[in-house]
Amino acid sequence: VQLQASGGGLVQSGGSLRLSCVLSGRTLNSHIIGWFRQAPGKERKFVGNIDWLSSRNTVGDSVEGRFTISKDRSENTVYLQMNNLQPEDTAIYYCGATREDEYYAIIPAYLSAYYYWGQGTQVTVSS
């Protein structure tokens, strides 16, 4: 699977952005797609994820109530809708996918479960 993230930009505090992760490949039903973010000098951290086949999804505690994750099968795209953005949300946002030969009863929120990665998109929130 290949992933391409887009939709980042500069926004004021309280604003919204929608990130897109376009997927390509023949094994889409076998993947869980995750969003992670990495601020300068910090580790990459979990934001949210979605099972492409079942649509089960979760978001991290730090963004719950502000961010939602969804998918559009017809567009082969996973979306991350980000509302009420705050300066601490500033980071490069990456979408990743689990391996097609690995099964998860609980969709994983840990970084090492994600094997394939897109290039990242910068989100900057000004105060």
Side-chain angles (χ1 to χ4, degrees):
V1 65
Q2 294 82 46
L3 308 96
Q4 184 166 357
S6 63
L10 173 64
V11 63
Q12 289 187 334
S13 180
S16 298
L17 283 173
R18 188 177 76 164
L19 305 185
S20 301
C21 179
V22 178
L23 313 174
S24 59
R26 295 184 294 174
T27 59
L28 296 188
N29 283 340
S30 302
H31 298 280
I32 294 164
I33 308 302
W35 283 101
F36 288 76
R37 64 187 182 185
Q38 189 166 16
K42 296 189 176 181
E43 296 181 346
R44 194 171 296 191
K45 294 186 177 180
F46 174 74
V47 176
N49 55 16
I50 187 165
D51 185 322
W52 183 259
L53 182 62
S54 71
S55 296
R56 290 180 298 157
N57 65 89
T58 64
V59 293
D61 291 342
S62 63
V63 303
E64 190 167 7
R66 300 188 297 125
F67 291 13
T68 57
I69 190 166
S70 62
K71 73 175 193 339
D72 185 331
R73 279 187 174 274
S74 67
E75 297 290 335
N76 279 0
T77 301
V78 172
Y79 297 104
L80 180 67
Q81 177 66 46
M82 306 185 296
N83 298 326
N84 191 22
L85 283 159
Q86 301 300 314
E88 54 266 33
D89 296 316
T90 294
I92 299 175
Y93 284 69
Y94 297 90
C95 56
T98 57
R99 289 178 59 98
E100 59 274 17
D101 56 354
E102 292 183 348
Y103 171 76
Y104 297 90
I106 299 174
I107 51 176
Y110 51 94
L111 184 63
S112 61
Y114 294 84
Y115 183 77
Y116 303 99
W117 291 96
Q119 83 285 5
T121 185
Q122 175 71 48
V123 172
T124 304
V125 185
S126 62
S127 57

